[in-house]
Amino acid sequence: QKEVEQNSGPLSVPEGAIASLNCTYSDRGSQSFFWYRQYSGKSPELIMSIYSNGDKEDGRFTAQLNKASQYVSLLIRDSQPSDSATYLCAVNGGTALIFGKGTTLSVSS
Amino acid sequence: GAGVSQSPSNKVTEKGKDVELRCDPISGHTALYWYRQSLGQGLEFLIYFQGNSAPDKSGLPSDRFSAERTGGSVSTLTIQRTQQEDSAVYLCASSPSSREDGYTFGSGTRLTVV
């Protein structure tokens, strides 16, 4: 069974620090990878997609992909209290995205 | 529309009753997905529609669950003879034609079975 694993957290960082969120996946054939942010009581919101090995940067967010290690990560620079949320890693499972259970990030001011 | 629209936003139903949940995807998006999210759990895939092709129903947890998509647009998820374990947030998402695209989620329907 295809799986996506994330540390549930909570991950606590002070305002202005770098938050590092990690994800591993089981299907070596996966080709597309996504990070979603979910605020409490809200639906998931797509924040990053990555398809090739290496880094992809978008503002304060950097997604990193290592297909050989089956590892995806999300870095959030200059973390803000508004970044406090649950971050879901998603991997294309052939038919639909397979989601991890998410990592809760708490940014303290 | 501008986003994925789901209705109702909240539904409380008695055990054993049938419920219908509606999803209106983003205009032009050919792919439509239903997921459910139980308290403290991850997103569980239920069903996938792509254009006029036969849906992928592999995630439906039992034969009490069914879904249809009319005219390649609006979708309805039906749960018959609801059980308490069906209580969850049901999320609909749509994407452009490619499977490689990320999804846009609707705001969800919170179903409570009492």
Side-chain angles (χ1 to χ4, degrees):
Chain A
Q1 185 172 348
K2 300 174 183 177
E3 295 182 335
V4 176
E5 299 288 342
Q6 296 181 254
N7 187 321
S8 62
L11 174 65
S12 297
V13 301
E15 183 175 358
I18 296 175
S20 177
L21 304 158
N22 305 314
C23 169
T24 59
Y25 59 94
S26 63
D27 183 6
R28 188 170 289 277
S30 296
Q31 297 294 322
S32 50
F33 308 86
F34 305 89
W35 283 98
Y36 285 79
R37 178 176 62 200
Q38 186 173 26
Y39 291 114
S40 181
K42 302 295 185 181
S43 59
E45 172 193 12
L46 178 65
I47 55 172
M48 288 288 288
S49 60
I50 187 166
Y51 306 100
S52 304
N53 279 329
D55 295 359
K56 178 181 178 182
E57 185 175 321
D58 184 358
R60 296 187 296 110
F61 298 99
T62 298
Q64 298 175 318
L65 174 60
N66 184 325
K67 290 184 179 180
S69 299
Q70 295 174 239
Y71 180 90
V72 193
S73 65
L74 179 70
L75 301 179
I76 306 174
R77 290 181 299 281
D78 187 25
S79 295
Q80 301 297 309
S82 59
D83 295 326
S84 298
T86 297
Y87 289 80
L88 306 174
C89 174
V91 175
N92 190 295
T95 293
L97 293 183
I98 301 170
F99 286 82
K101 292 186 177 182
T103 298
T104 299
L105 172 66
S106 177
V107 181
S108 56
S109 57
Chain B
V4 178
S5 178
Q6 290 188 247
S7 62
S9 55
N10 280 285
K11 177 72 175 179
V12 179
T13 189
E14 292 181 352
K15 177 182 173 182
K17 299 286 189 182
D18 298 351
V19 295
E20 286 189 350
L21 313 179
R22 176 188 167 99
C23 173
D24 195 349
I26 291 173
S27 178
H29 280 193
T30 59
L32 186 149
Y33 307 82
W34 284 97
Y35 284 78
R36 73 177 175 182
Q37 188 173 34
S38 303
L39 189 63
Q41 299 299 310
L43 273 76
E44 176 187 6
F45 166 71
L46 297 177
I47 189 168
Y48 158 60
F49 295 90
Q50 174 60 270
N52 295 318
S53 302
D56 179 343
K57 305 179 182 179
S58 61
L60 295 179
S62 78
D63 58 8
R64 296 186 296 105
F65 288 73
S66 63
E68 64 177 15
R69 188 179 185 190
T70 55
S73 181
V74 173
S75 177
T76 302
L77 176 69
T78 300
I79 309 173
Q80 296 179 312
R81 304 181 303 282
T82 52
Q83 304 295 312
Q84 287 187 330
E85 60 263 29
D86 299 334
S87 296
V89 176
Y90 289 80
L91 291 162
C92 176
S94 70
S95 72
S97 59
S98 171
R99 289 181 179 180
E100 302 305 309
D101 298 319
Y103 306 164
T104 300
F105 281 90
S107 56
T109 294
R110 180 175 299 277
L111 175 66
T112 303
V113 182
V114 297

